[in-house]
Amino acid sequence: MAHGILPSRGDRFRLHPVAPRLAPMFCFMLLTASCALASFAFACATPFAAFAVVAAAMLPQRPALLVVTGAWLVNQTIGFGVLHYPVDSSTIAWGFVIGAAALLSTAAASTVLGLLPQGRTPLMLAIALVAAFAVYELALLAATPFLGSEGAFTAAIVTRIALTCAVWLAGLVAVCEIVRLVGPAGRKGAMSA
């Protein structure tokens, strides 16, 4: 039986690019590679809300949280090890706040996807992205009284990051669909159709 991007069974997960037993490893590899690319391209604007939605759409909540933690660790390793973020208490604290915000946005995406009806996957993923992005940004904003950087929350910056997350989500979903179509399950489904 082919595992399509839109599952025929009544589970809440919307993305099925690989067999379910391979999904945690595939999601981990996809998001850590994407995070590495995004970390070099955007440094402090890594699209964690998009990563949260993909993880939540592919995995149950606990593995999704673990995968997003792995992506966050990649981001921090690149930031401090390669991009030479300053090693001071403020930067380290912001790193942990970003990690916590990424996990909260993953939990939000997982919850929203669990509450939404089946079908119309792009719409459901978009709704989950709005929720994940709002939770992510609110978690970061909540830290500004203690850590500063209120200037990073202008409408222009938040809008740019939101658009970046939307583009990354579309790209990651496209990668999942391509993998599904060219993978063994996709080829079997195409041959039997």
Side-chain angles (χ1 to χ4, degrees):
M1 178 166 101
H3 295 285
I5 199 161
L6 296 173
S8 59
R9 61 188 190 275
D11 66 13
R12 68 182 185 91
F13 307 111
R14 306 299 199 276
L15 296 177
H16 294 282
V18 296
R21 66 182 173 76
L22 301 175
M25 185 54 68
F26 174 80
C27 189
F28 178 75
M29 291 184 330
L30 175 67
L31 293 188
T32 55
S34 298
C35 191
L37 179 61
S39 296
F40 284 114
F42 302 112
C44 293
T46 302
F48 280 112
F51 297 167
V53 172
V54 169
M58 219 181 287
L59 303 169
Q61 189 169 0
R62 183 172 289 155
L65 291 168
L66 290 172
V67 165
V68 171
T69 299
W72 171 77
L73 286 170
V74 167
N75 172 261
Q76 295 301 295
T77 300
I78 290 170
F80 286 102
V82 179
L83 299 176
H84 306 293
Y85 290 174
V87 181
D88 58 35
S89 60
S90 177
T91 308
I92 292 169
W94 269 115
F96 283 111
V97 168
I98 290 168
L103 294 176
L104 288 170
S105 68
T106 304
S110 183
T111 300
V112 166
L113 288 173
L115 295 173
L116 292 172
Q118 292 294 310
R120 298 191 182 167
T121 297
L123 176 61
M124 301 310 155
L125 293 175
I127 292 168
L129 179 62
V130 169
F133 185 76
V135 167
Y136 183 79
E137 289 295 314
L138 287 171
L140 295 180
L141 185 61
T144 61
F146 310 102
L147 299 175
S149 299
E150 295 86 3
F153 292 92
T154 66
I157 292 171
V158 172
T159 300
R160 187 188 85 229
I161 294 170
L163 292 174
T164 299
C165 284
V167 168
W168 271 90
L169 178 59
L172 290 168
V173 169
V175 168
C176 288
E177 181 63 3
I178 290 167
V179 168
R180 184 190 66 81
L181 290 172
V182 300
R187 287 192 297 270
K188 283 183 208 170
M191 289 189 294
S192 65

